Amino acid sequence: MIRSLYTSLLYLAVFIPSLFFTSVAEKYAGKKQIRFLIFSCLSIMIPTLFAGFRGEEVGTDILVYAVPEFQKCISAGSWSAYLKISSSEKGYAFIVIISALIGKSVNCLLILTEFLQILPIYIVAYRLRDRVSMNRVLLAFFCLNYVIGFNVMRQSIAASFILLFYVEVIYKKYKNSIFCAVVAFLFHNTAVIGFVFAIIGFAVYAIKRQWLRSLIIFWGTVIAILLMTQWQNIAYMAMYMGLLPAEKLKVYIDVFTGVNIGTKGYMFEVAYSQYIEVLLKGVYLIVPTLCIIKKTGRHKFDIESLKKDRFIYSVIFVGLIGVLIDFLVLILFHSAYGYRMALYAEYFFIILIPLACGRHKIIVSKPMTGMSFKITYNEALNYGMLFFSFYILFMYFGQHETLPFYFQIY
């Protein structure tokens, strides 16, 4: 309990100033660009540096590939020699080279990794600022994916850029979207899965008639479930088409079909905390969705415009696919590792939850200071849900091997 409280205070010391500088930066967006950039840099660099100086055992994948790739590059002595022996994606290999040959520090590698996770989310928040406060999007990211990125590093970079790719297309920034898609693929081969999710989202967004959109979502859900039961055939097809790396995919096919589990047996050992995590994925979808589509008795949420919002519906549907993957993998294979595929869809919760908050205000006043602040009922519900899940999953259970948190310079 003491460890959890201590770590919680550390995260608060990071999140609060970052969110504060985001709020200040937003005031200058489109007005005074220099000030906007200065406060944006402060907002991004605080959580980036915090993650960059974490210990090597805070997140499993640091010792699985970050430190080994760094040492491999040091031993190679040059970027050309390292590229010949590295099996990492080119994007990750590039930041390893910068960190090892120029920065001479693993901390530099972790800083660059975290920066590439947060920057796309910050740009997403900037794009959506006409609909929701930037700090609300960043707060959702902090609660949902910031800590996961300590472990699933390369894929978190890819997922962040896939989400930005989606938003850039929606806002018709097509050149930017192409750049985001390329970067995502350069950092993780599974970005093709995220790209498929984004295409599905675009298809729902393109449908302008609400009844037809609802019908497509219903049958799309049915078809998605049926396709998931044929996962093995789909996996082989993706492998033969060269969409996913054959050597890695064949290993996972063997594992999940029981042909050769080998050292991957841990993937079928589902802890109590992982059941809770999968259950919460469903809550992340259900709670904001109900806030969007339902009006309650006395308190009329001002969300009529959202009910016909194609963007909202597309985000909900992509999130639904992610939840279905998590639940079906847990049920069919007794494994919590569906998140490796669902992560790209789950990143859409970062924008779904902020967009689900209405305008009916709760005003909290402090008579002694004369200060007051306003939140919405939906914000209280949605962010209360996120705070609870953040503490339970990461501070109490230490999901993704992120406890105990400690700092290290190396």
Side-chain angles (χ1 to χ4, degrees), residues 132-359:
V132 63
S133 298
M134 289 177 61
N135 59 11
R136 296 296 192 270
V137 176
L138 206 61
L139 178 56
F141 167 73
F142 284 151
C143 291
L144 291 170
N145 296 101
Y146 177 67
V147 177
I148 294 176
F150 289 5
N151 179 34
V152 191
M153 295 180 287
R154 292 174 301 147
Q155 194 173 358
S156 292
I157 293 174
S160 290
F161 274 97
I162 287 293
L163 181 63
L164 179 56
F165 159 77
Y166 183 79
V167 172
E168 293 288 51
V169 171
I170 295 297
Y171 278 78
K172 300 181 180 180
K173 305 290 183 179
Y174 299 120
K175 291 182 180 178
N176 294 347
S177 68
I178 293 172
F179 173 79
C180 292
V182 170
V183 172
F185 281 104
L186 286 175
F187 275 91
H188 210 274
N189 291 319
T190 61
V192 65
I193 298 173
F195 189 73
V196 171
F197 291 154
I199 294 299
I200 293 171
F202 294 143
V204 174
Y205 178 80
I207 301 170
K208 296 182 179 181
R209 293 182 181 275
Q210 187 175 352
W211 67 269
L212 181 58
R213 195 184 314 126
S214 300
L215 185 65
I216 293 296
I217 289 175
F218 172 77
W219 283 110
T221 302
V222 174
I223 292 171
I225 294 173
L226 293 175
L227 288 175
M228 287 175 204
T229 62
Q230 299 297 316
W231 70 271
Q232 189 175 349
N233 293 330
I234 295 172
Y236 274 118
M237 186 184 301
M239 185 171 65
Y240 293 141
M241 293 176 65
L243 298 177
L244 292 171
E247 66 281 0
K248 292 183 179 179
L249 192 57
K250 186 62 170 65
V251 171
Y252 284 103
I253 292 174
D254 290 345
V255 168
F256 282 98
T257 54
V259 174
N260 181 22
I261 295 177
T263 59
K264 299 288 185 179
Y266 66 88
M267 297 179 71
F268 302 96
E269 299 171 359
V270 184
Y272 177 70
S273 58
Q274 290 175 306
Y275 284 111
I276 296 176
E277 184 175 22
V278 173
L279 179 63
L280 284 171
K281 302 289 177 62
V283 176
Y284 299 153
L285 175 70
I286 293 170
V287 171
T289 300
L290 289 178
C291 289
I292 288 169
I293 66 175
K294 184 179 180 180
K295 294 169 69 176
T296 60
R298 252 180 347 114
H299 303 298
K300 301 293 184 181
F301 295 109
D302 186 12
I303 58 170
E304 279 299 310
S305 60
L306 296 183
K307 293 178 70 175
K308 298 181 180 179
D309 193 323
R310 293 181 291 147
F311 179 56
I312 286 288
Y313 273 92
S314 66
V315 171
I316 289 174
F317 187 56
V318 174
L320 173 61
I321 294 174
V323 171
L324 288 174
I325 292 173
D326 279 316
F327 275 81
L328 286 174
V329 170
L330 181 63
I331 294 169
L332 296 176
F333 305 107
H334 193 255
S335 173
Y337 275 77
Y339 82 88
R340 283 290 192 171
M341 291 183 292
L343 183 68
Y344 295 99
E346 291 167 1
Y347 257 67
F348 280 67
F349 293 141
I350 294 172
I351 56 179
L352 173 62
I353 292 173
L355 290 172
C357 298
R359 298 176 184 172

